[in-house]
Amino acid sequence: MAVPPQSAIPFLNKLRGIKPKQNGGFTAFCPGHEDRDRRSLSIDFRDGKTLLKCFVSCSTEDIMRAVGLEVSSLFDD
């Protein structure tokens, strides 16, 4: 299981309904839209980067704006 980089912790702490995935990473309710019934946000980690995929098609910028963080905060320095 991939371990979240330190840069991902503030972001992860702002999510609702976070659950680990079997193959690593997490799913959560997407903060970029009204996500109440189904976790549509997939979060994965590779090479010190946090990768986001909303299956309803919110952009990374929309997701980060909704939690009050900059996209650059997803990456280790």
Side-chain angles (χ1 to χ4, degrees):
M1 180 168 155
V3 176
Q6 285 297 317
S7 59
I9 302 304
F11 171 71
L12 294 172
N13 285 335
K14 292 182 178 272
L15 298 177
R16 290 183 312 108
I18 193 163
K19 288 179 72 173
K21 296 191 297 186
Q22 283 185 323
N23 61 346
F26 298 96
T27 60
F29 295 113
C30 180
H33 68 277
E34 275 193 43
D35 205 356
R36 292 188 178 149
D37 300 323
R38 189 168 163 243
R39 289 168 178 83
S40 62
L41 181 62
S42 176
I43 306 120
D44 289 297
F45 312 103
R46 286 196 195 102
D47 302 321
K49 297 176 183 159
T50 301
L51 307 173
L52 307 179
K53 169 71 176 165
C54 172
F55 290 96
V56 175
S57 74
C58 293
S59 69
T60 299
E61 291 80 8
D62 292 339
I63 295 165
M64 296 307 288
R65 190 176 311 112
V67 297
L69 295 172
E70 298 289 326
V71 172
S72 61
S73 67
L74 294 175
F75 307 103
D76 282 348
D77 293 331

Coordinates of all heavy atoms in Angstrom, one line a residue:
M1 N 0.8 -1.2 0.0 CA 0.0 0.0 0.0 C 0.9 1.2 0.0 O 1.8 1.4 0.8 CB -0.9 0.0 1.2 CG -1.8 1.2 1.3 SD -3.0 0.8 2.6 CE -3.4 2.5 3.1
A2 N 0.6 2.2 -0.9 CA 1.4 3.4 -1.0 C 1.1 4.3 0.2 O -0.1 4.4 0.7 CB 1.0 4.2 -2.2
V3 N 2.1 4.8 0.8 CA 2.0 5.7 2.0 C 1.9 7.1 1.5 O 2.6 7.6 0.6 CB 3.3 5.6 2.9 CG1 3.2 6.6 4.0 CG2 3.4 4.2 3.3
P4 N 0.9 7.9 2.0 CA 0.7 9.2 1.6 C 1.9 10.1 1.9 O 2.5 10.0 3.0 CB -0.5 9.8 2.4 CG -1.1 8.6 2.9 CD -0.1 7.5 3.0
P5 N 2.4 10.9 0.9 CA 3.5 11.9 1.3 C 3.0 12.9 2.3 O 1.8 13.1 2.4 CB 3.8 12.5 -0.1 CG 2.6 12.3 -0.9 CD 1.9 11.1 -0.4
Q6 N 3.9 13.4 3.1 CA 3.5 14.4 4.1 C 2.7 15.6 3.5 O 1.8 16.1 4.2 CB 4.8 15.0 4.8 CG 5.4 14.0 5.7 CD 4.5 13.7 6.9 OE1 3.9 14.5 7.5 NE2 4.5 12.4 7.2
S7 N 3.0 15.9 2.3 CA 2.3 17.1 1.7 C 0.8 16.8 1.5 O 0.0 17.7 1.4 CB 2.9 17.4 0.3 OG 2.9 16.3 -0.6
A8 N 0.4 15.5 1.5 CA -1.0 15.1 1.3 C -1.8 15.1 2.5 O -3.1 15.2 2.5 CB -1.1 13.7 0.7
I9 N -1.2 15.1 3.7 CA -1.9 15.0 5.0 C -2.9 16.2 5.2 O -4.1 15.9 5.5 CB -1.0 14.9 6.2 CG1 0.0 13.7 6.0 CG2 -1.7 14.8 7.5 CD1 -0.7 12.3 5.8
P10 N -2.6 17.4 5.0 CA -3.6 18.5 5.1 C -4.8 18.3 4.2 O -5.9 18.6 4.6 CB -2.8 19.8 4.8 CG -1.4 19.4 5.1 CD -1.2 18.0 4.7
F11 N -4.5 17.9 3.0 CA -5.6 17.6 2.0 C -6.5 16.5 2.5 O -7.7 16.6 2.6 CB -5.1 17.3 0.7 CG -6.1 16.9 -0.3 CD1 -7.1 17.8 -0.8 CD2 -6.2 15.6 -0.7 CE1 -8.1 17.4 -1.7 CE2 -7.2 15.1 -1.6 CZ -8.1 16.0 -2.1
L12 N -5.9 15.4 2.9 CA -6.7 14.2 3.3 C -7.5 14.5 4.6 O -8.6 14.1 4.7 CB -5.7 13.0 3.6 CG -5.0 12.5 2.4 CD1 -4.0 11.4 2.9 CD2 -6.0 11.8 1.5
N13 N -7.0 15.4 5.4 CA -7.7 15.8 6.7 C -9.0 16.6 6.4 O -9.8 16.7 7.2 CB -6.8 16.5 7.6 CG -5.8 15.6 8.3 OD1 -6.1 14.5 8.5 ND2 -4.7 16.2 8.7
K14 N -9.1 17.1 5.2 CA -10.3 18.0 4.8 C -11.4 17.2 4.1 O -12.4 17.7 3.8 CB -9.8 19.1 3.9 CG -9.0 20.1 4.7 CD -8.6 21.3 3.8 CE -7.8 22.3 4.6 NZ -8.6 23.3 5.3
L15 N -11.1 15.9 3.8 CA -12.1 15.1 3.1 C -13.1 14.4 4.0 O -12.8 14.1 5.1 CB -11.3 14.0 2.3 CG -10.4 14.6 1.2 CD1 -9.7 13.4 0.5 CD2 -11.1 15.4 0.2
R16 N -14.3 14.1 3.4 CA -15.3 13.4 4.1 C -15.3 11.9 3.6 O -15.1 11.7 2.4 CB -16.7 14.0 3.9 CG -16.9 15.3 4.6 CD -18.4 15.8 4.3 NE -18.8 15.7 3.0 CZ -19.7 14.8 2.5 NH1 -20.3 13.9 3.3 NH2 -20.1 14.8 1.2
G17 N -15.6 11.0 4.4 CA -15.9 9.6 4.0 C -14.7 8.9 3.4 O -14.8 8.1 2.5
I18 N -13.5 9.2 3.9 CA -12.3 8.6 3.3 C -12.2 7.2 3.7 O -12.4 6.8 4.8 CB -11.0 9.4 3.7 CG1 -9.8 9.0 2.8 CG2 -10.7 9.4 5.1 CD1 -8.7 10.0 2.9
K19 N -11.9 6.3 2.6 CA -11.7 4.9 2.9 C -10.5 4.4 2.1 O -10.3 4.9 0.9 CB -13.0 4.2 2.3 CG -14.2 4.3 3.2 CD -15.4 3.6 2.7 CE -15.2 2.1 2.8 NZ -16.5 1.4 2.4
P20 N -9.8 3.5 2.6 CA -8.6 2.9 1.9 C -9.1 2.0 0.7 O -10.2 1.4 0.9 CB -7.9 2.1 2.9 CG -8.8 1.9 4.1 CD -9.8 3.0 4.0
K21 N -8.4 2.0 -0.4 CA -8.7 1.1 -1.5 C -7.8 -0.1 -1.3 O -6.7 -0.1 -0.7 CB -8.3 1.8 -2.8 CG -9.2 3.0 -3.1 CD -9.0 3.5 -4.6 CE -7.6 4.0 -4.9 NZ -7.5 4.6 -6.2
Q22 N -8.3 -1.2 -1.9 CA -7.5 -2.5 -1.8 C -6.1 -2.4 -2.4 O -5.2 -3.0 -1.9 CB -8.3 -3.6 -2.4 CG -9.5 -4.1 -1.6 CD -10.1 -5.3 -2.2 OE1 -10.2 -5.4 -3.5 NE2 -10.6 -6.2 -1.4
N23 N -6.0 -1.7 -3.5 CA -4.7 -1.6 -4.2 C -3.9 -0.4 -3.8 O -2.9 -0.1 -4.4 CB -4.9 -1.6 -5.7 CG -5.7 -0.4 -6.1 OD1 -6.4 0.3 -5.3 ND2 -5.7 -0.2 -7.4
G24 N -4.2 0.2 -2.7 CA -3.5 1.4 -2.2 C -4.3 2.7 -2.5 O -5.2 2.7 -3.3
G25 N -4.0 3.8 -1.9 CA -4.7 5.0 -2.1 C -6.0 5.0 -1.3 O -6.2 4.1 -0.5
F26 N -6.8 5.9 -1.7 CA -8.1 6.1 -0.9 C -9.2 6.5 -1.9 O -9.0 7.0 -3.0 CB -8.0 7.2 0.1 CG -7.0 7.0 1.2 CD1 -5.7 7.5 1.0 CD2 -7.3 6.2 2.3 CE1 -4.7 7.3 2.0 CE2 -6.3 6.0 3.3 CZ -5.1 6.5 3.1
T27 N -10.4 6.4 -1.4 CA -11.6 7.0 -2.1 C -12.2 7.9 -1.0 O -12.0 7.7 0.2 CB -12.6 6.0 -2.6 OG1 -13.1 5.2 -1.5 CG2 -12.1 5.1 -3.6
A28 N -13.0 8.9 -1.5 CA -13.6 9.8 -0.6 C -14.8 10.5 -1.4 O -14.9 10.4 -2.6 CB -12.6 10.9 -0.1
F29 N -15.6 11.2 -0.6 CA -16.6 12.0 -1.2 C -15.9 13.2 -1.8 O -15.1 13.9 -1.1 CB -17.7 12.5 -0.2 CG -18.5 11.3 0.4 CD1 -18.4 11.0 1.7 CD2 -19.4 10.6 -0.4 CE1 -19.1 9.9 2.2 CE2 -20.1 9.5 0.0 CZ -20.0 9.2 1.4
C30 N -16.2 13.6 -3.0 CA -15.5 14.7 -3.7 C -16.0 16.0 -3.2 O -17.3 16.2 -3.2 CB -15.7 14.6 -5.2 SG -14.9 15.9 -6.1
P31 N -15.1 16.9 -2.7 CA -15.6 18.2 -2.2 C -15.9 19.2 -3.3 O -16.5 20.2 -3.1 CB -14.4 18.7 -1.4 CG -13.2 18.0 -2.0 CD -13.7 16.7 -2.5
G32 N -15.6 18.8 -4.6 CA -15.8 19.7 -5.7 C -17.3 19.7 -6.2 O -17.6 20.6 -7.0
H33 N -18.1 18.8 -5.7 CA -19.5 18.8 -6.1 C -20.3 18.1 -4.9 O -19.7 17.6 -4.0 CB -19.7 18.0 -7.4 CG -19.5 16.6 -7.4 ND1 -18.2 16.0 -7.5 CD2 -20.3 15.5 -7.1 CE1 -18.3 14.7 -7.3 NE2 -19.5 14.4 -7.1
E34 N -21.6 18.1 -5.0 CA -22.4 17.5 -4.0 C -22.3 16.0 -4.1 O -23.1 15.4 -4.9 CB -23.9 17.9 -4.1 CG -24.1 19.2 -3.4 CD -25.6 19.5 -3.2 OE1 -26.4 18.6 -2.8 OE2 -26.0 20.7 -3.4
D35 N -21.4 15.4 -3.4 CA -21.2 14.0 -3.4 C -21.7 13.4 -2.1 O -21.0 13.5 -1.1 CB -19.6 13.8 -3.5 CG -19.3 12.4 -4.2 OD1 -20.2 11.6 -4.4 OD2 -18.1 12.2 -4.4
R36 N -22.9 12.8 -2.1 CA -23.4 12.3 -0.9 C -23.6 10.8 -0.8 O -23.5 10.2 0.3 CB -24.8 13.0 -0.7 CG -24.7 14.4 -0.4 CD -26.1 15.0 0.0 NE -26.0 16.4 0.3 CZ -26.9 17.2 0.1 NH1 -28.1 16.8 -0.4 NH2 -26.7 18.5 0.4
D37 N -23.9 10.2 -1.9 CA -24.2 8.8 -1.9 C -23.1 7.9 -2.3 O -23.1 6.7 -2.0 CB -25.4 8.5 -2.9 CG -26.6 9.3 -2.5 OD1 -26.9 9.4 -1.2 OD2 -27.4 9.8 -3.3
R38 N -22.2 8.4 -3.1 CA -21.1 7.5 -3.7 C -19.8 8.3 -3.6 O -19.7 9.4 -4.0 CB -21.5 7.2 -5.1 CG -20.7 6.2 -5.8 CD -21.3 5.8 -7.1 NE -20.3 5.2 -7.9 CZ -19.9 5.6 -9.1 NH1 -20.4 6.7 -9.6 NH2 -18.9 5.0 -9.7
R39 N -18.8 7.6 -3.2 CA -17.4 8.2 -3.2 C -16.9 8.2 -4.6 O -16.5 7.2 -5.2 CB -16.5 7.4 -2.3 CG -16.9 7.5 -0.8 CD -16.1 6.4 0.0 NE -16.4 6.6 1.4 CZ -17.5 6.1 2.0 NH1 -18.4 5.4 1.3 NH2 -17.7 6.3 3.3
S40 N -16.8 9.4 -5.2 CA -16.4 9.5 -6.6 C -15.0 10.1 -6.7 O -14.5 10.2 -7.8 CB -17.3 10.5 -7.3 OG -17.3 11.7 -6.8
L41 N -14.3 10.3 -5.6 CA -12.9 10.8 -5.7 C -11.9 9.7 -5.4 O -12.0 9.1 -4.3 CB -12.7 12.0 -4.7 CG -11.3 12.6 -4.6 CD1 -11.0 13.3 -6.0 CD2 -11.3 13.7 -3.5
S42 N -11.0 9.5 -6.3 CA -9.9 8.5 -6.1 C -8.7 9.3 -5.8 O -8.4 10.3 -6.5 CB -9.8 7.7 -7.4 OG -8.7 6.8 -7.2
I43 N -7.9 8.9 -4.8 CA -6.7 9.5 -4.4 C -5.6 8.5 -4.4 O -5.7 7.5 -3.8 CB -6.8 10.1 -3.0 CG1 -8.0 11.1 -2.9 CG2 -5.5 10.9 -2.6 CD1 -9.0 10.7 -1.9
D44 N -4.5 8.8 -5.2 CA -3.4 7.9 -5.3 C -2.1 8.6 -5.1 O -2.1 9.9 -5.2 CB -3.3 7.1 -6.7 CG -4.5 6.1 -6.8 OD1 -4.5 5.2 -6.0 OD2 -5.3 6.3 -7.6
F45 N -1.0 7.9 -4.8 CA 0.3 8.6 -4.5 C 1.4 7.9 -5.3 O 1.5 6.7 -5.3 CB 0.6 8.4 -3.0 CG -0.6 8.8 -2.1 CD1 -1.3 7.8 -1.5 CD2 -0.9 10.1 -1.9 CE1 -2.4 8.1 -0.7 CE2 -2.0 10.5 -1.2 CZ -2.7 9.5 -0.6
R46 N 2.2 8.7 -6.0 CA 3.3 8.2 -6.8 C 4.4 9.3 -6.8 O 4.2 10.4 -7.1 CB 2.9 8.0 -8.3 CG 2.0 6.8 -8.4 CD 1.9 6.3 -9.8 NE 0.8 5.4 -9.9 CZ -0.4 5.6 -10.4 NH1 -0.6 6.8 -10.9 NH2 -1.3 4.7 -10.4
D47 N 5.6 8.8 -6.5 CA 6.8 9.7 -6.6 C 6.6 11.0 -5.9 O 7.0 12.1 -6.4 CB 7.2 9.9 -8.1 CG 7.4 8.7 -8.8 OD1 8.0 7.7 -8.2 OD2 7.0 8.6 -10.0
G48 N 6.1 11.0 -4.7 CA 5.9 12.2 -3.9 C 4.8 13.1 -4.3 O 4.6 14.2 -3.9
K49 N 3.9 12.6 -5.2 CA 2.8 13.4 -5.8 C 1.5 12.7 -5.3 O 1.4 11.5 -5.2 CB 2.9 13.4 -7.3 CG 4.1 14.1 -7.8 CD 4.1 14.1 -9.3 CE 5.4 14.7 -9.8 NZ 5.8 14.3 -11.1
T50 N 0.5 13.6 -5.2 CA -0.8 13.1 -4.9 C -1.7 13.3 -6.1 O -1.7 14.4 -6.7 CB -1.5 13.9 -3.7 OG1 -0.6 13.8 -2.6 CG2 -2.8 13.4 -3.4
L51 N -2.2 12.2 -6.6 CA -3.0 12.2 -7.8 C -4.5 12.1 -7.5 O -4.9 11.2 -6.8 CB -2.5 11.0 -8.7 CG -1.0 11.0 -9.0 CD1 -0.7 9.7 -9.7 CD2 -0.6 12.2 -9.8
L52 N -5.3 13.0 -8.1 CA -6.7 13.0 -7.8 C -7.5 12.7 -9.1 O -7.1 13.2 -10.2 CB -7.1 14.4 -7.3 CG -6.4 15.0 -6.1 CD1 -6.9 16.3 -5.8 CD2 -6.5 14.0 -5.0
K53 N -8.6 11.9 -9.0 CA -9.4 11.6 -10.1 C -10.9 11.6 -9.6 O -11.2 10.8 -8.8 CB -9.1 10.3 -10.7 CG -10.1 9.8 -11.7 CD -10.1 10.5 -13.0 CE -11.1 9.9 -14.0 NZ -11.3 10.7 -15.1
C54 N -11.7 12.6 -10.1 CA -13.1 12.6 -9.7 C -13.8 12.0 -10.9 O -13.7 12.4 -12.0 CB -13.6 14.1 -9.5 SG -15.4 14.1 -9.3
F55 N -14.6 11.0 -10.6 CA -15.3 10.2 -11.6 C -16.6 10.9 -12.1 O -17.3 10.4 -12.9 CB -15.6 8.8 -11.2 CG -14.3 8.0 -11.2 CD1 -13.6 7.8 -10.0 CD2 -13.8 7.5 -12.4 CE1 -12.4 7.2 -10.0 CE2 -12.6 6.8 -12.3 CZ -11.9 6.6 -11.2
V56 N -16.9 12.1 -11.5 CA -18.0 13.0 -12.0 C -17.4 14.1 -12.9 O -18.1 14.8 -13.5 CB -18.8 13.5 -10.8 CG1 -19.8 14.5 -11.2 CG2 -19.4 12.4 -10.0
S57 N -16.1 14.2 -12.9 CA -15.3 15.1 -13.8 C -15.0 16.4 -13.2 O -14.7 17.4 -13.9 CB -15.9 15.3 -15.2 OG -17.1 16.1 -15.1
C58 N -14.9 16.6 -11.9 CA -14.4 17.8 -11.3 C -12.9 17.8 -11.6 O -12.2 16.8 -11.5 CB -14.5 17.8 -9.8 SG -16.3 17.9 -9.2
S59 N -12.4 19.0 -11.9 CA -10.9 19.2 -12.1 C -10.2 19.2 -10.7 O -10.8 19.5 -9.7 CB -10.6 20.5 -12.9 OG -10.9 21.6 -12.0
T60 N -8.9 18.9 -10.8 CA -8.1 19.0 -9.6 C -8.2 20.4 -9.0 O -8.3 20.6 -7.8 CB -6.6 18.7 -9.9 OG1 -6.5 17.4 -10.4 CG2 -5.7 18.9 -8.7
E61 N -8.2 21.5 -9.9 CA -8.3 22.8 -9.4 C -9.7 23.0 -8.6 O -9.7 23.7 -7.6 CB -8.2 23.8 -10.5 CG -6.9 23.9 -11.2 CD -6.5 22.8 -12.1 OE1 -7.5 22.0 -12.5 OE2 -5.4 22.7 -12.6
D62 N -10.8 22.5 -9.2 CA -12.1 22.6 -8.5 C -12.0 21.9 -7.1 O -12.6 22.5 -6.1 CB -13.2 21.9 -9.3 CG -13.5 22.7 -10.6 OD1 -13.2 23.9 -10.7 OD2 -14.0 22.0 -11.5
I63 N -11.4 20.8 -7.1 CA -11.4 20.0 -5.8 C -10.5 20.8 -4.8 O -11.0 20.9 -3.6 CB -10.8 18.6 -6.1 CG1 -11.7 17.8 -7.0 CG2 -10.5 17.9 -4.7 CD1 -11.1 16.6 -7.6
M64 N -9.4 21.3 -5.2 CA -8.5 22.0 -4.3 C -9.1 23.3 -3.8 O -9.0 23.7 -2.6 CB -7.1 22.2 -4.9 CG -6.4 20.9 -5.2 SD -6.3 19.8 -3.8 CE -5.1 20.7 -2.8
R65 N -9.8 24.0 -4.7 CA -10.5 25.2 -4.4 C -11.6 25.0 -3.3 O -11.7 25.7 -2.4 CB -11.1 25.9 -5.6 CG -11.6 27.3 -5.4 CD -12.1 27.9 -6.7 NE -11.2 27.8 -7.8 CZ -11.5 27.1 -8.9 NH1 -12.6 26.4 -9.1 NH2 -10.6 27.0 -9.9
A66 N -12.3 23.9 -3.5 CA -13.3 23.5 -2.5 C -12.8 23.3 -1.1 O -13.6 23.5 -0.1 CB -14.1 22.3 -3.0
V67 N -11.6 22.8 -1.0 CA -11.0 22.5 0.4 C -10.1 23.7 0.8 O -9.6 23.6 1.9 CB -10.3 21.2 0.5 CG1 -11.2 20.0 0.2 CG2 -9.1 21.1 -0.5
G68 N -10.0 24.7 0.0 CA -9.2 25.9 0.4 C -7.7 25.7 0.4 O -7.0 26.4 1.1
L69 N -7.2 24.8 -0.5 CA -5.8 24.6 -0.7 C -5.4 24.9 -2.1 O -6.2 24.8 -3.0 CB -5.4 23.2 -0.3 CG -5.6 22.8 1.2 CD1 -5.4 21.3 1.3 CD2 -4.7 23.6 2.1
E70 N -4.1 25.1 -2.3 CA -3.5 25.3 -3.6 C -3.1 23.9 -4.2 O -2.7 23.0 -3.5 CB -2.2 26.2 -3.6 CG -2.4 27.6 -3.0 CD -3.2 28.4 -4.1 OE1 -2.9 28.2 -5.3 OE2 -3.9 29.3 -3.6
V71 N -3.2 23.8 -5.5 CA -2.8 22.5 -6.2 C -1.3 22.2 -5.8 O -1.0 21.0 -5.6 CB -3.0 22.6 -7.7 CG1 -2.4 21.4 -8.4 CG2 -4.4 22.8 -8.1
S72 N -0.5 23.2 -5.7 CA 0.9 22.9 -5.4 C 1.1 22.2 -4.1 O 2.2 21.6 -3.8 CB 1.7 24.2 -5.5 OG 1.2 25.1 -4.5
S73 N 0.1 22.3 -3.2 CA 0.3 21.7 -1.9 C 0.2 20.2 -2.0 O 0.5 19.5 -1.0 CB -0.8 22.2 -0.9 OG -2.1 21.8 -1.3
L74 N -0.2 19.6 -3.1 CA -0.3 18.2 -3.3 C 1.1 17.5 -3.6 O 1.2 16.3 -3.7 CB -1.2 17.9 -4.5 CG -2.7 18.2 -4.3 CD1 -3.4 17.9 -5.5 CD2 -3.2 17.4 -3.1
F75 N 2.1 18.3 -3.8 CA 3.4 17.8 -4.2 C 4.5 18.1 -3.2 O 4.5 19.2 -2.6 CB 3.8 18.4 -5.6 CG 2.8 18.3 -6.6 CD1 2.0 19.4 -7.0 CD2 2.6 17.1 -7.2 CE1 1.0 19.2 -7.9 CE2 1.6 16.9 -8.2 CZ 0.8 18.0 -8.6
D76 N 5.3 17.1 -2.9 CA 6.5 17.3 -2.1 C 7.5 18.3 -2.8 O 7.5 18.3 -4.0 CB 7.2 16.0 -1.8 CG 6.5 15.2 -0.7 OD1 5.6 15.7 0.0 OD2 6.8 14.0 -0.6
D77 N 8.2 19.1 -2.0 CA 9.1 20.0 -2.6 C 10.3 19.3 -3.1 O 10.7 18.3 -2.8 CB 9.6 21.0 -1.5 CG 8.5 21.9 -1.1 OD1 7.6 22.2 -1.9 OD2 8.5 22.4 0.0

